Amino acid sequence: MDDADQRARRAAAQAEVGRHGRLIRRRRDGKWLSAAMLPWFRLRVPRGYGILTTTGRKTGLPRPKCVRVMRAGDRAYLVQLMPPQIALDQPQAVNAWLRNIRADPRVTLELRDGALHGTAREITDPAELAVARALLCDTVVPVDFGECAIHLRGVPSRAKIRALHDYWFRTGRAVAIDLDI
């Protein structure tokens, strides 16, 4: 790839960062947003979302995190999101909750219909990635409209929501949780 191609790709990526970087700009921002949502999710977890609790790899303490998650039978799918600039500059970076999963894959997932235990893992199989992409990117639930308004400029629409979810899938890491049912 020549310098002109690299500059063009970087410019396209920067434009996408500008579109998706409205609220979450740094690693810490996602942590604060999750902490703000957690009390509301504890009252009633919205459809399409959940509370993922991992075990801290250093402290051994439970670490809850609000996540967008879709369940299909005995498996749940979610994506580790990265702030746009970090996804661009450090594509191999991972969030603390994913590092916790790598250290101890046993997790608890609180969904609308109750708490479930399971084993989390990063998805590497292309067929399973396709299933996760279809569930996570094509499904739109009511809370997604508010989330879209927070992350993107303009009036939320199903097309914008799907594009936002696709962007997250492309720049994040897909995770599956094999539920103990």
Side-chain angles (χ1 to χ4, degrees):
M1 184 183 301
D2 66 4
D3 287 342
D5 287 339
Q6 286 179 335
R7 282 194 302 274
R9 286 180 61 133
R10 183 114 176 125
Q14 287 288 1
E16 195 158 349
V17 165
R19 284 186 52 231
H20 295 282
R22 184 168 169 199
L23 179 67
I24 306 297
R25 297 180 193 278
R26 299 173 309 229
R27 287 178 193 257
R28 189 174 303 146
D29 295 343
K31 184 177 181 177
W32 291 340
L33 182 60
S34 180
M37 293 178 346
L38 193 58
W40 300 105
F41 278 34
R42 293 256 189 237
L43 292 173
R44 181 164 172 86
V45 178
R47 189 168 67 92
Y49 289 80
I51 302 171
L52 174 70
T53 303
T54 61
T55 301
R57 67 194 176 287
K58 294 179 182 177
T59 64
L61 297 174
R63 299 292 183 202
K65 176 81 175 161
C66 296
V67 294
R68 185 171 190 283
V69 61
M70 292 294 161
R71 182 177 169 192
D74 63 350
R75 195 162 287 148
Y77 298 100
L78 59 144
V79 173
Q80 173 224 255
L81 307 179
M82 290 303 289
Q85 194 61 46
I86 293 173
L88 180 65
D89 294 340
Q90 304 169 32
Q92 298 304 316
V94 295
N95 288 332
W97 66 262
L98 188 54
R99 288 193 302 267
N100 290 343
I101 285 173
R102 288 176 176 173
D104 181 1
R106 299 292 305 157
V107 299
T108 301
L109 184 61
E110 294 176 50
L111 299 172
R112 193 173 204 159
D113 53 350
L116 302 165
H117 299 283
T119 304
R121 59 186 168 74
E122 292 178 68
I123 303 172
T124 55
D125 176 48
E128 190 173 21
L129 275 170
V131 170
R133 178 183 287 279
L135 277 171
L136 291 166
C137 296
D138 295 340
T139 306
V140 176
V141 297
V143 175
D144 289 338
F145 287 89
E147 183 179 58
C148 183
I150 288 171
H151 292 283
L152 295 178
R153 292 172 181 87
V155 178
S157 67
R158 288 186 178 278
K160 275 186 173 180
I161 291 167
R162 286 186 182 112
L164 179 63
H165 293 166
D166 182 65
Y167 168 76
W168 285 341
F169 200 90
R170 285 184 288 114
T171 60
R173 296 191 194 283
V175 174
I177 301 173
D178 299 313
L179 301 170
D180 301 338
I181 297 180

